[in-house]
Amino acid sequence: MITLRGLTKRYGDTVAVDGLTLDVEEGRVTGFLGPNGAGKSTTMRMILGLDRPTAGRALIDGRPYASMRHPVREVGALLDAKALHPARSARSHLIAQARSNGIPVRRVDEVLETVGLAKVARRRAGAFSLGMYQRLGIAGALLGDPQVLILDEPVNGLDPEGVRWVRELVRAQAAQGRTVFLSSHLMSEMQLTADRLVVIGRGRLLADTPMADLLAASASASVRVRTADPADLSGLAGRLRAYEGVTVESPGGERNEIVVRGRTAAEIGDLAHRLGVALHQLHSVPASLEQAYMELTEHSVEYGAAASPPPPVSDGSAPTATTEV
Ligand code: ADP
């Protein structure tokens, strides 16, 4: 488990990380999200003892990273995949890490096999592609068979097969009871990978929540409602519209279906029951992570474009054409 308590980092006038308090628990994949400059790298660097907090603390299984005798055996980290000597081979790079942490050389060959670099293990790492660097970085993180993995943008530069491989790898690690904390800017991938999300903006905590709760609570989440009788539906729509914060649309002008935002399926079902309306369908459509993330961080973007482009089209589960009922 990673424990942050009031974790703060200031660089002069810049507050990079502002009083973060949270637990990253074992047995699940926790995604770490935030706009550029939000403080993700600084947080990870403080967890790994590479930056000193201005205030607060970051502990791994109750201890600071710097106090660990063989840190690579307790925490596997990938911060910057290209941070290695370009003239060294992948194998000699890992052997150096293994030796300094009391790890046998056969483990190096094992992890090279795991990440798919066994065939190029003796080649100069300087000639590697970004995807190969990432695989080597992940090999380094796995080297000590640690209980905690901290991965900054591990899928950056990987091809679709590589992205899927990282997803399956980290999910398997979490399923074995390990702690996995990873950042990524690829929202659709994060949606498939993480169980829980920590979102920060301008150094502050914006959300620390299970993925499913974030998607269900988003203003973009909707409920599709169908009745047999269009008159019933329009009565129900009228009642729903009277509530503050509720929108009601009819996708593609359908007469017997509405899409409701601002109320849960349970609330709509209860209302229909009270009105004596028989429902033929009541279907929750969660938001995409991209939609939920954009809503959450819209006021925390440090480096935004001057005019926002229109919101991205969703994953196809939401209606594409809508008209007011
Ligand atoms: P992220 O990883 O979320 O993009 P960072 O942790 O890199 O964000 O940066 C958070 C803030 O701290 C940014 O405003 C950045 O400019 C600033 N920052 C990060 N490192 C330093 C540093 N060494 N010196 C001064 N400012 C820094």
Side-chain angles (χ1 to χ4, degrees), residues 71-115:
V72 169
R73 278 154 51 176
E74 303 197 43
V75 186
L78 168 62
L79 286 195
D80 177 3
K82 289 196 161 185
L84 53 90
H85 196 297
R88 276 196 178 160
S89 71
R91 192 165 182 271
S92 66
H93 168 71
L94 292 176
I95 286 175
Q97 277 189 42
R99 289 233 168 95
S100 57
N101 278 271
I103 296 165
V105 170
R106 76 181 135 71
R107 176 67 184 159
V108 168
D109 294 316
E110 228 171 77
V111 291
L112 282 165
E113 194 70 49
T114 305
V115 303

Side-chain angles (χ1 to χ4, degrees), residues 25-278:
E25 288 174 0
E26 52 274 327
R28 55 178 70 127
V29 177
T30 302
F32 193 27
L33 302 178
N36 289 337
K40 302 180 297 298
S41 301
T42 306
T43 302
M44 285 181 163
R45 290 174 59 81
M46 286 194 284
I47 296 170
L48 295 165
L50 296 167
D51 266 338
R52 190 189 291 272
T54 310
R57 60 203 153 97
L59 303 176
I60 298 168
D61 291 334
R63 286 176 306 145
Y65 184 91
S67 73
M68 293 173 185
R69 195 163 138 74
H70 295 298
V72 169
R73 278 154 51 176
E74 303 197 43
V75 186
L78 168 62
L79 286 195
D80 177 3
K82 289 196 161 185
L84 53 90
H85 196 297
R88 276 196 178 160
S89 71
R91 192 165 182 271
S92 66
H93 168 71
L94 292 176
I95 286 175
Q97 277 189 42
R99 289 233 168 95
S100 57
N101 278 271
I103 296 165
V105 170
R106 76 181 135 71
R107 176 67 184 159
V108 168
D109 294 316
E110 228 171 77
V111 291
L112 282 165
E113 194 70 49
T114 305
V115 303
L117 291 180
K119 286 205 181 90
V120 295
R122 288 169 202 272
R123 270 212 237 150
R124 272 182 68 240
F128 278 7
S129 67
L130 179 56
M132 289 159 88
Y133 269 117
Q134 293 286 31
R135 286 175 183 265
L136 180 55
I138 292 168
L142 296 175
L143 191 61
D145 198 19
Q147 278 301 308
V148 177
L149 281 173
I150 298 178
L151 309 173
D152 196 7
E153 299 277 351
V155 299
N156 212 2
L158 289 177
D159 59 15
E161 185 275 331
V163 169
R164 185 160 139 185
W165 168 73
V166 172
R167 185 198 316 151
E168 287 169 0
L169 175 85
V170 298
R171 293 210 55 78
Q173 294 280 315
Q176 290 165 8
R178 299 175 210 247
T179 304
V180 182
F181 192 40
L182 88 166
S183 74
S184 173
H185 281 112
L186 292 180
M187 292 296 137
S188 52
E189 185 50 34
M190 190 61 104
Q191 187 168 353
L192 293 173
T193 307
D195 306 295
R196 201 176 168 90
L197 289 168
V198 169
V199 187
I200 63 172
R202 296 183 193 276
R204 294 208 177 154
L205 190 66
L206 297 177
D208 174 12
T209 170
M211 172 85 70
D213 291 2
L214 183 77
L215 303 188
S218 160
S220 304
S222 60
V223 182
R224 284 174 177 249
V225 185
R226 272 181 186 234
T227 60
D229 180 354
D232 275 354
L233 192 68
S234 103
L236 181 61
R239 287 290 288 266
L240 281 163
R241 249 193 246 109
Y243 293 121
E244 209 181 307
V246 173
T247 64
V248 181
E249 294 169 329
S250 105
E254 290 285 333
R255 286 184 69 231
N256 69 338
E257 180 170 321
I258 53 174
V259 175
V260 183
R261 290 188 176 78
R263 283 292 180 276
T264 64
E267 289 165 338
I268 296 165
D270 288 349
L271 176 65
H273 178 70
R274 286 202 298 279
L275 297 176
V277 170

Side-chain angles (χ1 to χ4, degrees), residues 9-16:
K9 180 72 183 178
R10 283 191 208 96
Y11 294 106
D13 290 342
T14 306
V15 186

Side-chain angles (χ1 to χ4, degrees), residues 269-312:
D270 288 349
L271 176 65
H273 178 70
R274 286 202 298 279
L275 297 176
V277 170
L279 297 179
H280 279 198
Q281 192 189 68
L282 187 63
H283 173 58
S284 296
V285 183
S288 69
L289 177 58
E290 184 174 80
Q291 289 168 325
Y293 170 81
M294 293 295 180
E295 286 163 22
L296 205 58
T297 58
E298 64 182 337
H299 301 298
S300 305
V301 176
E302 194 165 349
Y303 309 109
S308 314

